[in-house]
Amino acid sequence: MQTEKMDISKIDVNFAKTDVTETDITWRKATDSAFDLRGVFYDEAAGCYYRMKREIADQVSAGVQVLARCTVGGRIRFRTNSPYITARVKSVKLNMSWNYSLFARCGLCVYVNGVYDGFFRAGFKQWENAKDDIMRYDGIYYTREKGVYDVEIYMPNYSEKIYDVEIGLKDGCEIYPAKPYTYNDKPVVFYGTSMTQGACVSRAGNDYISLLCRWCDTDFINLGFSGNGRGEPIMADYLADLDPSIFVLDYDGNVRSVEDLEKSHMPMYRKIRAKHPTTPIVLITMPALDSNTHMFVQEKKELIYKNYLTMKAEGDNNVYFVDGKTLLGDEDVEAGFTDLLHPNDLGYYRIAKSLQPLFTEILNQTK
């Protein structure tokens, strides 16, 4: 007896995609000057989006070379009075992992007036007249707002490669400059691991960095690299060449040994301080259920704390230490993890809530 394959959209209409049937659409590329594109940029030579300089990423490691193309932290910002927003995305075909959400891999999420308001209902399909590894995402989002509203579209966390993004609005509707961030001069730069990149989150915008910076109303750049945040000298040089409001170093989870961490941690700090004598630096250690859950977690934390005390003893009053073990609270900590390694939505929410008072204090000092 042949079993019929289940189509969940026929059982529950809430799972059905919505095709774009409107014909009165004006399309603009995400790089159009009408939009405020943050966290990523379009590399013309490579023909896709990046979140750090391609020539540097290619030199750091094979992993960073690939992961630098993931669009985590990418945001398309604007104001409009359009009753709907459409999206067309040209992307590489997805390679799925068992503990990663499809939505986080390819979905674009819409935040209206600072609050999550929906997503582009669509599905992937083969790109016309293209190679088999190219897919197209056509989606539409209908707003519940009346009049002019602020829009922030979050790009996927683990997109692998996005070749093109177009945003469409109803013909004749206006598009206005995005509302400035409260702390608008410089972004917060986060460097780290898969936790930084938002692994295992259900959708874009729910990782701790997006949550934290949305609550603090500040710009950010996410330089989290799954399995590849190892503090290489060339990465340290690249970070030091940036000019953020705050540096966040959150990479010990990817460093293979205490000895390797010792070789990179203080040198990275010194390179940053040489070019940014007073810019706040926040040192965050890897969250863990206990010191025995992951090898070297406790030892690496102790090394980072020792380095922190050295920094303070040398007169640095703009460096901060955060014990990762405290970030998910004391109650039902395991509920905040997907696989006992990566946080889930609850875990990322708890991390962001834990960090919010510190970052609000630091940002207020930098105004």
Side-chain angles (χ1 to χ4, degrees), residues 142-360:
Y142 293 96
T143 181
R144 293 174 290 182
E145 294 291 323
K146 303 296 183 184
V148 177
Y149 55 98
D150 293 290
V151 181
E152 194 167 34
I153 299 172
Y154 279 71
M155 298 172 75
N157 288 25
Y158 281 83
S159 51
E160 297 184 39
K161 186 185 288 187
I162 289 183
Y163 300 103
D164 193 26
V165 178
E166 291 181 279
I167 302 299
L169 304 176
K170 181 179 175 63
D171 287 345
C173 288
E174 301 293 335
I175 181 167
Y176 305 98
K179 178 183 177 182
Y181 287 113
T182 298
Y183 308 94
N184 197 44
D185 290 340
K186 301 176 181 180
V188 182
V189 169
F190 295 80
Y191 173 66
T193 65
S194 54
M195 190 190 85
T196 314
Q197 191 173 342
C200 296
V201 74
S202 67
R203 58 175 169 80
N206 258 13
D207 55 89
Y208 90 85
I209 293 172
S210 296
L211 289 166
L212 175 64
C213 292
R214 197 160 57 246
W215 296 339
C216 292
D217 196 27
T218 189
D219 190 17
F220 67 91
I221 298 173
N222 187 321
L223 294 178
F225 301 99
S226 289
N228 285 268
R230 296 173 183 164
E232 297 91 344
I234 191 169
M235 181 59 78
D237 291 336
Y238 179 74
L239 291 172
D241 284 340
L242 301 177
D243 188 24
S245 59
I246 304 171
F247 286 99
V248 183
L249 305 183
D250 177 23
Y251 73 95
D252 60 303
N254 282 167
V255 182
R256 295 188 176 95
S257 69
V258 177
E259 291 73 24
D260 285 345
L261 181 62
E262 191 165 18
K263 292 176 184 177
S264 69
H265 193 262
M266 188 61 83
M268 178 179 286
Y269 162 80
R270 300 264 186 231
K271 285 182 177 181
I272 291 173
R273 268 291 169 259
K275 293 188 175 181
H276 307 276
T278 60
T279 301
I281 300 175
V282 179
L283 311 174
I284 302 178
T285 65
M286 179 182 178
L289 299 182
D290 59 66
S291 59
N292 297 317
T293 302
H294 307 294
M295 190 178 297
F296 305 126
V297 167
Q298 185 65 27
E299 292 90 341
K300 288 188 287 189
K301 181 174 73 173
E302 290 172 356
L303 172 62
I304 292 172
Y305 187 67
K306 183 188 74 172
N307 288 346
Y308 164 74
L309 293 178
T310 299
M311 298 166 192
K312 297 292 287 184
E314 292 176 353
D316 192 340
N317 294 318
N318 292 305
V319 64
Y320 304 84
F321 174 82
V322 178
D323 183 346
K325 190 176 180 181
T326 67
L327 288 175
L328 280 84
D330 299 322
E331 185 178 356
D332 297 324
V333 179
E334 71 283 354
F337 288 90
T338 295
D339 51 10
L340 299 183
L341 179 62
H342 301 98
N344 53 29
D345 286 13
L346 173 62
Y348 283 118
Y349 176 85
R350 288 178 174 178
I351 292 170
K353 275 296 182 185
S354 296
L355 294 172
Q356 186 179 7
L358 173 62
F359 277 75
T360 299

Side-chain angles (χ1 to χ4, degrees), residues 94-98 100-103 105 160:
L94 298 175
N95 294 312
M96 294 308 299
S97 174
W98 65 270
Y100 283 61
S101 161
L102 174 63
F103 203 13
R105 295 293 296 272
E160 297 184 39

